[in-house]
Amino acid sequence: MATSLLHQTLYRWGQTGRFGDMSEVGLWPVASSLDPASTDELRHWHERVKPWLSAGAGGRPRSSHFYAAFGDDAVLIRRVRPGAARTAAAHLLLGPAGVLTPRLALELREWTWAPPDLPTRAPMVNPNTLRAHRSPLGEKARSDALQEPLAALLSHVLTGPGTIEAPATGDAFALLWAIDDICTVLGSGLRDWPEWSAGFETFAERREVPGPPGLFLRFLPDAPAPAPEPRTHTAALFLARMYGRGGTDALRRLRSTEGLNGLDTMAARVARLLSTVAGPVVPPSAPGRPRPSAQAAPAPPSSPSPGTGRPDSGTGTGTGTGTGERVSCPICLGKLDWGGLPLYTFDQSLAQYVRLNLPKDANAEQRARLLRTAAVRCPNPGDMTGTHYLPAGYGRYGSPAVFGFIGGTTSGKTHLAAAMVAAIERGALGAYGITAQPVDLDRHQAFLRDMVHPLFSESTRLAPTREGEVAFADAFVMSCGDRPRAVALFDVAGGELSNVGDAKRFLDIADGLIFVADPKRFTPGSLGDPAFNTVLSLLRASGRLPKVSAAIALNKADLFRFDDPIAHWLSRDAAVLDSAEVLEESADVFGYLHQRDAEAWTRPYQECERATLHVVSATGTDAIERGVRPLRVLRPLVALMAMTGLLTTAEAQNIGI
């Protein structure tokens, strides 16, 4: 079948057919784009798909689906039974497997392509015209609620081709979408990928109908949830969480960093992944080998449903505060009912969080030791943040200070954020008398891996934040004296932000902003950075402008290191909070911007009640290939901490006035 068009055939219930001797009681074709003058091809496909034409057509829901690849061709059947058996119908699409992919089948799950008055000779379907009918499932597929059932199903997928059964629920299509995403990234370009080609059947009613060759997922109304396959569950959970947080982009980075691109087969890639994530394991089954039963291992302890905030009865897993205090999450900015959230601990061997059960007979000292490293899972994951955890003691720190990096895509704010986190990781805040601990160790390590290490270890330029996006960078519990407080850092993309909901929500709770100025954009008569202007306008419109402190960071200062006063300030980076020095630097930078016809970049200093200006360089050199050596990157952050009350010394109170 060499065409990129798709054939369609309509089946209806009856006793008489229109195509030769294909008369029988049951579903039979009444219209088809296959040539009615020669029924050989139609008869061939009728016999091939006959076992799945009616299986699942009855009961609820009213429609169900079957998709599979047979060699180079694929078939999608949408089965409909609105009432009695004799009202049943089946709509079939048939075409090249490279055109009629599992993704297209999932997108077209609700489209009825065969109208009731379809003529005997039906037209073929051009898939390029079906865009208006496609319905994606990416957001639901990556939801936190699906990560555990997805990991259980995926653990069986990773063992090799075969038929997998799961309960028929409203999440079936989203689970299939996620598995298709993950398998496509893992198997893209492999020679034996056709042997792993995926098929599925939703709301199947009969187990006795065998699954077609390859990987086949069948959803049955009475099927129990499959217990995770113990050999592959750790790797599957790792993939499910990575997919939930970063989508297919995160999976492609994993494929590259773990050396999967250099392997020629799907089985080899899966084996490498399993050995990397979970240690030595039994290799995945070869195609056609009988797979182990989905009930071979007991199910792991269940986790609470996201958003419930209720611990399991009698397990002693709650935070134990009992206060019901509402605390702001520094990562997703949602509100948490702190008392009674279940406890987790980070398992180093699994590189993931697991439920923590406090022994009922543990004494106070034992409980204190366990709680020292315990965490709670925030019940409010969002599209921007995914699943995240907070220290069990976080509730006593109060609401976090929320800081954001503002600037155009060329300003280098993403590099500045990475350089700041790197300095914090090295303990550089200690010179100011400040200690810092990550709020969420898992996310902190991910930021180090994805942003800090590429910049500092490989001198790799970081990709800018996508337009209109507010990206959580990292969060720390900062302590100066005996008053710890959480600080959350966000990277706010440049461009048009006035209609972006995430940007508006972020600005509604932001305490301080680091405006990153790009000196390469200073030109006579310039209107300034559009991101600066938009953010200031949004803050003024919401009435929050007086409540937000600002630090303007003149970034890429190394490019102008021979200019006065840039050279002077680049040579001074003593870790001392000196309000007179901060005021002197702010005055010098303010004058320098006016000298460069860049007055528009001083707007935050003029319009915010407390503001400072700083000379910084995120990379420390005009050629990143020479090695990254950041200069003075912590000074804007320390100034914001002073202006927002995290630092309470007399010097801190005079910063930015």
Side-chain angles (χ1 to χ4, degrees), residues 352-371:
Q352 65 188 40
Y353 282 92
V354 297
R355 287 290 295 272
L356 172 64
N357 294 311
L358 295 176
K360 295 181 179 179
D361 57 351
N363 57 38
E365 185 179 32
Q366 292 170 326
R367 287 179 60 89
R369 185 170 62 252
L370 291 171
L371 289 173

Side-chain angles (χ1 to χ4, degrees), residues 239-499:
L239 288 171
R241 288 177 173 172
M242 176 170 286
Y243 173 71
R245 294 171 184 172
T248 54
D249 288 343
L251 296 175
R252 290 188 182 94
R253 288 195 297 271
L254 173 72
R255 193 179 71 185
S256 177
T257 57
E258 295 300 333
L260 303 184
N261 287 336
L263 302 175
D264 292 333
T265 66
M266 179 70 167
R269 287 190 180 183
V270 172
R272 170 71 63 82
L273 178 66
L274 294 176
S275 64
T276 301
V277 175
V281 293
V282 178
S285 303
R289 184 183 303 174
R291 65 190 304 115
S293 169
Q295 304 298 322
S302 59
S303 298
S305 300
T308 63
R310 295 192 300 267
D312 293 341
S313 176
T315 62
T317 58
T319 59
T321 62
T323 63
E325 180 182 1
R326 289 185 64 78
V327 177
S328 295
C329 174
I331 297 175
C332 69
L333 311 178
K335 293 290 187 180
L336 292 76
D337 291 320
W338 193 256
L341 288 174
L343 291 176
Y344 291 77
T345 187
F346 190 80
D347 190 315
Q348 294 290 348
S349 63
L350 299 178
Q352 65 188 40
Y353 282 92
V354 297
R355 287 290 295 272
L356 172 64
N357 294 311
L358 295 176
K360 295 181 179 179
D361 57 351
N363 57 38
E365 185 179 32
Q366 292 170 326
R367 287 179 60 89
R369 185 170 62 252
L370 291 171
L371 289 173
R372 195 172 299 127
T373 57
V376 299
R377 183 171 66 185
C378 177
N380 306 310
D383 295 338
M384 181 175 61
T385 58
T387 303
H388 50 277
Y389 298 80
L390 309 173
Y394 168 75
R396 64 176 179 267
Y397 305 139
S399 293
V402 177
F403 298 158
F405 295 81
I406 308 296
T409 55
T410 64
S411 65
K413 58 184 172 56
T414 301
H415 291 83
L416 181 58
M420 280 189 184
V421 172
I424 295 171
E425 180 73 3
R426 290 195 302 268
L429 283 174
Y432 292 91
I434 303 169
T435 62
Q437 294 181 339
V439 168
D440 181 346
L441 181 60
D442 194 21
R443 297 187 67 83
H444 174 65
Q445 293 294 335
F447 187 85
L448 292 179
R449 181 187 66 245
D450 297 338
M451 307 297 287
V452 175
H453 291 315
L455 179 62
F456 286 84
S457 300
E458 306 167 12
S459 294
T460 301
R461 293 189 183 275
L462 304 178
T465 311
R466 289 181 297 182
E467 288 291 312
E469 180 176 275
V470 179
F472 169 72
D474 212 338
F476 300 88
V477 175
M478 305 284 196
S479 299
C480 184
D482 58 352
R483 297 187 60 183
R485 190 177 176 192
V487 176
L489 305 177
F490 287 80
D491 188 353
V492 183
E496 177 55 52
L497 297 175
S498 59
N499 294 318

Side-chain angles (χ1 to χ4, degrees), residues 516-526 528-529 532 552-555 560 589 592-602:
V516 185
D518 181 2
K520 286 187 172 182
R521 299 181 60 191
F522 296 169
T523 56
S526 172
D529 191 320
F532 285 27
I552 302 175
L554 179 59
N555 197 20
F560 304 91
V589 177
Y592 181 77
L593 293 176
H594 274 266
Q595 180 186 353
R596 294 285 307 275
D597 291 320
E599 295 91 345
W601 273 265
T602 67

Side-chain angles (χ1 to χ4, degrees), residues 587-657:
D588 280 353
V589 177
F590 189 90
Y592 181 77
L593 293 176
H594 274 266
Q595 180 186 353
R596 294 285 307 275
D597 291 320
E599 295 91 345
W601 273 265
T602 67
R603 280 189 60 189
Y605 187 76
Q606 300 181 65
E607 299 184 23
C608 296
E609 288 191 1
R610 301 189 71 172
T612 56
L613 296 99
H614 306 269
V615 173
V616 305
S617 176
T619 60
T621 175
D622 56 351
I624 197 170
E625 291 78 13
R626 301 177 187 175
V628 176
R629 297 185 298 275
L631 299 171
R632 311 181 87 248
V633 294
L634 284 180
R635 298 184 78 85
L637 177 63
V638 173
L640 274 186
M641 293 175 66
M643 290 186 285
T644 54
L646 276 79
L647 306 180
T648 57
T649 64
E651 286 295 319
Q653 295 175 23
N654 291 325
I655 299 296
I657 294 180

